Amino acid sequence: MNFKLKIWRQQNANSEGKLVEYAINDISSNTSFLEMMDILNEQLIQKGEQPVAFDHDCREGICGTCSMYINGRAHGPQKLSTTCQLYMRNFADGDTITIEPFRAKGFPVIKDLCVDRSAFDRIIAAGGFISVSTGQAQDANALPVEKHLADASMDAAACIGCGACVAACKNASAMLFVSAKVAHLALLPQGHPERKKRALQMVAQMDKEGFGSCTNTYACEAECPKGISVANIARLNREYLGASIASDETI
Ligand code: SF4
Ligand code: FES
């Protein structure tokens, strides 16, 4: 398969970027998107040009590191998929593919397709630790949790912190990410002691990092590779409201 690539090239956060065109030919349909980028980079290095900087790690949809905006969609055209789970057979021979970094004020560009997502780490850190000592591994039924709560918590915990929800949102809102992190702990007994403090502090840090507000377009849910539901945003709003009206002593 042959493709024309239009890739965002930007030397650093302070320089201007632009789309640069590259032709890449004789690519097997079973090549993954990131392998195609590796092949392009080998060709660029052989020509004495700078390879394209892009983030990747596990290459199996677990770590959330790969973060490309492909043909106007976070992680590209395939639903419930990260960029590393995308294959060239998802495109047609001869396609032009535009590849950009995730764009958001809270995710400044480091170089080319790499953005700084440490804002997410700071939001997680603002949530703090849980104080419950879990001790040794317990019998599965030692601490009964209703199944629907356990299921909802585990679904929220599937968030890999990739940032596609922010990139897909016209407001660059991080609400889906923050709601997943708040919900997965709020739904389990171990997460209850710091529940109010966690919601208030994570939302405060989210605002401080420059992410926008949620205006219910659901673009985040549509593009999330892990199918995180916007029902978590409703839960975050309830958690936040409950914590806001609680007295200081209970927080
Ligand atoms: S909610 Fe979905 S899109 Fe957002 S960071 Fe988590 S896994 Fe990625
Ligand atoms: S490289 Fe880990 S999720 Fe894509």
Side-chain angles (χ1 to χ4, degrees), residues 50-92:
Q50 276 217 3
V52 179
F54 64 93
D55 274 328
H56 57 100
D57 191 4
C58 72
R59 296 199 176 203
E60 50 184 332
I62 296 170
C63 72
T65 310
C66 54
S67 58
M68 294 179 196
Y69 206 71
I70 302 164
N71 286 347
R73 295 186 60 183
H75 293 302
Q78 188 168 253
K79 262 196 92 59
L80 298 174
S81 158
T82 54
T83 298
C84 60
Q85 293 171 307
L86 196 60
Y87 284 80
M88 299 319 292
R89 57 178 173 267
N90 294 112
F91 299 87

Side-chain angles (χ1 to χ4, degrees), residues 19 60 66 74 131 138 182:
L19 287 169
E60 50 184 332
C66 54
S131 59
Q138 303 195 0
V182 165

Side-chain angles (χ1 to χ4, degrees), residues 84-223:
C84 60
Q85 293 171 307
L86 196 60
Y87 284 80
M88 299 319 292
R89 57 178 173 267
N90 294 112
F91 299 87
D93 189 24
D95 267 0
T96 297
I97 305 172
T98 304
I99 310 166
E100 299 169 84
F102 282 181
R103 296 192 191 279
K105 186 179 163 199
F107 292 163
V109 171
I110 298 171
K111 185 176 181 181
D112 296 336
L113 305 173
C114 296
V115 297
D116 180 355
R117 283 170 287 174
S118 57
F120 272 14
D121 298 333
R122 290 188 290 275
I123 293 171
I124 300 263
F129 294 96
I130 59 167
S131 59
V132 172
S133 174
T134 51
Q136 297 291 318
Q138 303 195 0
D139 284 347
N141 59 356
L143 193 59
V145 180
E146 290 178 50
K147 180 158 182 359
H148 73 280
L149 294 178
D151 286 349
S153 174
M154 290 304 110
D155 287 348
C159 168
I160 53 174
C162 64
C165 45
V166 174
C169 176
K170 67 185 171 78
N171 308 319
S173 168
M175 283 287 276
L176 193 65
F177 164 75
V178 175
S179 72
K181 299 302 169 196
V182 165
H184 96 254
L185 287 171
L187 287 161
L188 296 178
Q190 294 91 335
H192 280 204
E194 290 83 21
R195 181 176 182 171
K196 293 172 181 160
K197 194 167 97 180
R198 184 183 310 115
L200 292 176
Q201 292 181 174
M202 289 183 82
V203 169
Q205 188 66 35
M206 172 182 78
D207 290 343
K208 201 168 143 192
E209 298 289 351
F211 295 107
S213 304
C214 173
T215 50
N216 298 309
T217 65
Y218 296 5
C220 53
E221 182 184 86
E223 297 293 55

Side-chain angles (χ1 to χ4, degrees), residues 4-8 19-22 96-100:
K4 192 206 281 182
L5 307 176
K6 289 185 178 176
I7 303 180
W8 186 261
L19 287 169
V20 178
E21 284 189 19
Y22 301 94
T96 297
I97 305 172
T98 304
I99 310 166
E100 299 169 84

